[in-house]
Amino acid sequence: MSRGTELTGTAVLIRLVLRRDRIRILIWTAAVPLLVLLTAASVKGLYPTQHDLDVAARASQDNAAAIAFNGPAQGLDTLGGQVAFQVGTLGLVVVALMSTFMTGRNTRAEEEAGRDDLVRSLPVGRHASVTAALLVVAAMNVSVAALVTLGLIGLDLPVTGSLVLGVSFCALGLVFAAVTTVVAQISENTRVVHGSTGAVLGAAFALRAIGDTADGTVSWFSPIGWVQKTRPFAGERWWPLLVAAAFTAASVAVAHALSDRRDVGAGLVAPRPGPPRASRALGSPFGLALRLQRGSLAGWSCGVFLTGLAYGWVADDVEEFVADNETLADLIAGDAGVDLTDAYLSQSLLVVALIGAGYAVQSALRPRGEETGLRAEPLLATPVSRGRWLAGHLAVALAGSAVVLAVAGLGTGLAFGIAAGDMGQVPRLVGAALAYTPALWLLTGLAVALFGLAPRASALAWAAVAACFVIGLLGVALDLPPWVRDVSPFEHIPHLPGADPGLTAPALLTAVAAALTAAGVAGFRRRDVDQVP
């Protein structure tokens, strides 16, 4: 078959993906630039003078924990260098996740659901579906790069550095789109594809962190390290992008070659046969939901645990870090009279709680995935009622949210306890993290309400998480009006440790969460099961 024949119908499939995923595409391509630009605006407010930048550079230059978490200490005595340091690694991880999820959704997920078989019954080339998915994801990454570049230039940052930072985001996104495409040829399970690519991302982050805290050699084994070697705002160099480009091209070629060697719907590696008899736990809706979501719960828990370790490890030195920067000290301490270390820990726990909100929404929307994947309807045709089936997933989402928060507090407490020589901090910080449980439950309730009442708008729950991120991380720096900040449930939780604990606001949030959940369950019981993804 000729190359032209193999790609027949690619343009039509691109239009199909754009039509179907237009909301997801809009949210992803807006979220990353917004994260970068808001952080850049915040950094400008934190370091208004060159003296402030010099102090911050000295404090971070030899801080192994900060470098491991944020990236290489490059050009930290410049505003652009601080922007790249504060948001560069986080932005790269988000772009990699964007490319992974969107590529997996439009390749392996389509085959697993059987929709790709229907598409290929039409005059469509063998590689048209994969090529269409890659081109859409590539366009998303180019859009992110353009918006980041133009936004940073608009904030008066140097043009070359802004362009290099934006292009580095695009380059890493393309790398992980290609990696996901390769893995999608190997496994026939979408969750395995996402989990395997997530493991590659985790390894890339770890190798980059190890390399950056040493002499930088190990960083060359990490795709994140490749793009950060471009040194935005710190003597830019373009040639490391050639490594990413070559790897992307080679991976796409490998994916196409592997695709020619397997059947449609199958993977190169056959799935392992299950036991002859299922465990009793799988006979209940809760047991099945837990089995389906245990990998996600473990992944999110590992992520927040490592984030907590990074934050807790530097907490004992925070007073020295901000000693010469009153603006930063005021931003961390907030209310007068609050211990600076406790204020820093409360801000750190807010960040990991916001990350945990991602798990809460993803878990609460899992029933929507089962529904659109046509797996819910066969189960609901059995004696299992809609209420019991949905309750199983809800129990995993609600209990899992508390588990993720507890693990985040454990990581923060262990690191801070070891650094400060006070292991009594562990239960204290676990309790402080669990205080955010009602906020996560409210977002869970919102996702369930959308699922039950307006299933086609379920993705809007992620917009709520994004809004909470912006308000929680940058609300003070951007001087957002109080009524805007009050939109986030996290603003109504006592920021422990350091603040006075209270029960009124958490109780009200829990009541609202219960009302939203009840409305979603009632709506699901009354509506038709959606058969169109």
Side-chain angles (χ1 to χ4, degrees):
M1 182 181 292
S2 68
R3 177 60 60 185
T5 305
E6 289 176 346
L7 299 179
T8 299
T10 299
V12 176
L13 292 178
I14 289 175
R15 291 198 297 270
L16 175 62
V17 173
L18 293 174
R19 175 66 178 83
R20 186 186 64 181
D21 288 345
R22 60 191 183 280
I23 302 300
R24 285 183 173 86
I25 292 172
L26 179 61
I27 291 174
W28 276 116
T29 54
V32 178
L34 185 64
L35 173 67
V36 174
L37 298 182
L38 289 177
T39 302
S42 175
V43 169
K44 290 185 70 173
L46 290 175
Y47 308 114
T49 67
Q50 185 60 47
H51 172 72
D52 293 328
L53 289 169
D54 292 338
V55 170
R58 288 194 298 270
S60 300
Q61 195 71 40
D62 299 317
N63 190 322
I67 292 172
F69 190 72
N70 290 339
Q74 301 171 158
L76 297 186
D77 57 347
T78 66
L79 187 60
Q82 280 292 336
V83 170
F85 185 69
Q86 297 298 336
V87 78
T89 300
L90 176 60
L92 289 169
V93 169
V94 174
V95 167
L97 291 175
M98 174 189 78
S99 297
T100 295
F101 291 146
M102 290 299 297
T103 305
R105 170 179 169 79
N106 288 291
T107 54
R108 174 49 60 184
E110 290 296 287
E111 291 192 54
E112 187 178 9
R115 292 187 289 269
D116 198 50
D117 260 341
L118 298 176
V119 170
R120 294 198 186 195
S121 67
L122 302 170
V124 171
R126 181 176 182 84
H127 297 314
S129 296
V130 170
T131 304
L134 286 173
L135 289 176
V136 169
V137 173
M140 292 174 64
N141 281 286
V142 170
S143 298
V144 167
L147 291 173
V148 167
T149 300
L150 294 175
L152 292 178
I153 293 174
L155 291 173
D156 296 327
L157 269 67
V159 174
T160 303
S162 301
L163 181 60
V164 169
L165 184 61
V167 173
S168 70
F169 285 169
C170 178
L172 188 73
L174 294 178
V175 165
F176 276 89
V179 170
T180 306
T181 307
V182 172
V183 179
Q185 312 309 312
I186 299 173
S187 173
E188 64 182 49
N189 187 296
T190 305
R191 293 192 298 276
V192 173
V193 171
H194 288 164
S196 300
T197 312
V200 173
L201 177 58
F205 184 93
L207 289 171
R208 194 276 314 156
I210 293 170
D212 288 347
T213 54
D215 61 0
T217 302
V218 178
S219 299
W220 283 107
F221 294 93
S222 164
I224 299 177
W226 300 341
V227 298
Q228 288 188 331
K229 295 292 185 181
T230 57
R231 300 180 60 88
F233 305 105
E236 296 83 3
R237 52 189 185 186
W238 291 94
W239 65 264
L241 295 174
L242 297 175
V243 179
F247 181 89
T248 299
S251 297
V252 171
V254 168
H256 281 167
L258 295 179
S259 177
D260 290 333
R261 289 165 173 75
R262 66 176 180 87
D263 293 331
V264 177
L268 290 175
V269 177
R272 185 180 62 182
R277 297 178 63 88
S279 67
R280 290 187 176 182
L282 292 179
S284 68
F286 173 76
L288 177 60
L290 183 59
R291 175 65 179 83
L292 292 173
Q293 299 199 43
R294 65 182 183 181
S296 174
L297 177 59
W300 282 99
S301 297
C302 180
V304 296
F305 181 78
L306 294 176
T307 304
L309 285 177
Y311 281 129
W313 194 255
V314 301
D316 196 42
D317 299 323
V318 67
E319 293 189 13
E320 179 181 353
F321 178 74
V322 301
D324 296 325
N325 190 328
E326 294 184 4
T327 302
L328 184 57
D330 291 341
L331 183 64
I332 294 176
D335 298 330
V338 177
D339 179 76
L340 193 59
T341 301
D342 280 349
Y344 168 80
L345 288 169
S346 71
Q347 289 293 317
S348 301
L349 291 177
L350 172 61
V351 173
V352 292
L354 287 167
I355 296 173
Y359 164 79
V361 170
Q362 183 189 63
S363 181
L365 292 180
R366 182 56 188 265
R368 178 60 179 166
E370 295 296 298
E371 183 182 15
T372 58
L374 306 181
R375 295 181 292 272
E377 192 170 15
L379 281 175
L380 296 176
T382 69
V384 176
S385 67
R386 292 190 180 199
R388 287 186 60 208
W389 175 75
L390 184 55
H393 286 282
L394 278 175
V396 174
L398 296 173
S401 298
V403 170
V404 168
L405 289 174
V407 171
L410 177 64
T412 307
L414 282 174
F416 180 50
I418 293 172
D422 179 12
M423 297 308 293
Q425 297 293 335
V426 175
R428 178 172 177 254
L429 293 178
V430 169
L434 285 172
Y436 287 100
T437 302
L440 265 63
W441 284 354
L442 189 144
L443 291 174
T444 300
L446 175 62
V448 173
L450 289 170
F451 165 71
L453 300 173
R456 303 299 179 93
S458 296
L460 291 177
W462 289 107
V465 175
C468 290
F469 258 95
V470 172
I471 293 171
L473 299 182
L474 301 171
V476 175
L478 298 177
D479 196 23
L480 295 178
W483 66 268
V484 174
R485 297 176 61 188
D486 286 342
V487 170
S488 171
F490 294 89
E491 296 298 308
H492 302 282
I493 298 293
H495 291 184
L496 304 175
D500 293 329
L503 297 177
T504 302
L508 289 174
L509 291 177
T510 303
V512 174
L516 289 171
T517 302
V521 173
F524 177 62
R525 282 175 171 168
R526 288 172 172 79
R527 69 171 174 82
D528 292 335
V529 175
D530 197 347
Q531 299 184 17
V532 181

